[in-house]
Amino acid sequence: MESIYITALLVGLLGGVHCLGMCGGIVGGLTFSVDAKVQLSWWRMFSYQLFYNLGRISSYMVVGAIFGALGMVLVSIQSVVPFQQILQLIAGLFMIALGLYLGGWWFLINRVEAVGQLIWQRLAPFAERFAQVRNYRQAWLYGLLWGWLPCGLVYSMLIMAMTAGGAIEGAALMLAFGLGTLPNLLLMGSFAFYFTRWSRNPKVKSVAGSSVVILGCWQIYLAVNLTA
C-alpha cells in the first residue's frame, strides 16, 4: 500500500511541468500581491509562498478524504476485490491519459478540466477578496481557494484516492501528491520567468509525460494482479 503514496508523490513531482504552465500566472500574481517590503525580503516572500501552497494542499487533503471515504463505501457495498480492481484500473487509465497530456500528445484531460470550471466560476469571486494579501492567514485562505482551480492532474489523483482505502488514506495520498508539487511551485514564486520557460521545453514535457504513463501502466499491473 505504501507504493500508492510514492506514486502520488512522483506524479506531483513529474506533473510540475503542468503546474508551472497552469499555475505560473497565479504564483506570479501572488508574488506581487503582498506588501512591497515583503517582496524585498527573500525569506519573507518564501514564507508567504509556503502558506499559499499549504492552503492549496489543505484543499487537496479535504477532497482526498471525501473521495477516499466514497471509495470505501462503494467497495463495501460490492464484492470487495473486483470493485477495487475496477477503481484501480480506472485510476491507471486516467494516469496514462494524464501522461499523454503532459507530453503534449493527447488532450482528453482538457475536457475533464472544463467540467471543473463550473465549480471554479462560483469560487472565483471569493478568491478575488483575498487578492491583496496582508498576512499569513490571508495567504493560507487564498491557497485554500486556489486548491479548487480546475486541474486534470488533481482529478487523476482523486480517482486514485478512491482506491486508497478510506478517508484518512485518501487525505494522506493527496498530501503526498501535494508535497510532490511543492518544490516546483515554491521555486516558481522566486524564479518565475526561468521555470516557465523550462516547463514549456518539449523534451522536459516528453520525459515527464512518458514517466507518468509508465506509472499509470504500473497501477494497471497492480490492479490486474490484485488477487494474485
Side-chain angles (χ1 to χ4, degrees), residues 3 42 63 137 155:
S3 65
W42 179 88
V63 185
R137 175 179 171 274
Y155 299 156

Side-chain angles (χ1 to χ4, degrees), residues 84-93 163 219-220 222-223 226:
Q84 188 175 351
Q85 278 184 309
I86 292 171
L87 287 177
Q88 198 160 334
L89 282 168
I90 292 172
L93 291 170
T163 72
Q219 287 303 307
I220 292 175
L222 292 177
L226 190 61

Side-chain angles (χ1 to χ4, degrees), residues 53-77:
N53 283 282
L54 289 177
R56 175 178 60 86
I57 294 172
S58 297
S59 287
Y60 293 171
M61 292 177 67
V62 169
V63 185
I66 293 171
F67 273 72
L70 176 62
M72 182 178 65
V73 171
L74 292 174
V75 167
S76 68
I77 61 178

Side-chain angles (χ1 to χ4, degrees), residues 107-168:
F107 299 96
L108 178 66
I109 296 295
N110 277 342
R111 298 181 183 180
V112 180
E113 290 182 347
V115 175
Q117 285 286 352
L118 299 175
I119 299 175
W120 180 247
Q121 287 173 3
R122 295 181 178 274
L123 292 174
F126 295 99
E128 291 176 1
R129 295 171 58 183
F130 296 98
Q132 294 300 315
V133 175
R134 295 289 179 266
N135 52 54
Y136 292 129
R137 175 179 171 274
Q138 290 179 339
W140 182 81
L141 287 171
Y142 195 103
L144 200 66
L145 291 169
W146 174 19
W148 291 87
L149 188 72
C151 176
L153 190 63
V154 174
Y155 299 156
S156 66
M157 288 297 96
L158 289 177
I159 299 297
M160 184 177 287
M162 293 181 69
T163 72
I168 294 176

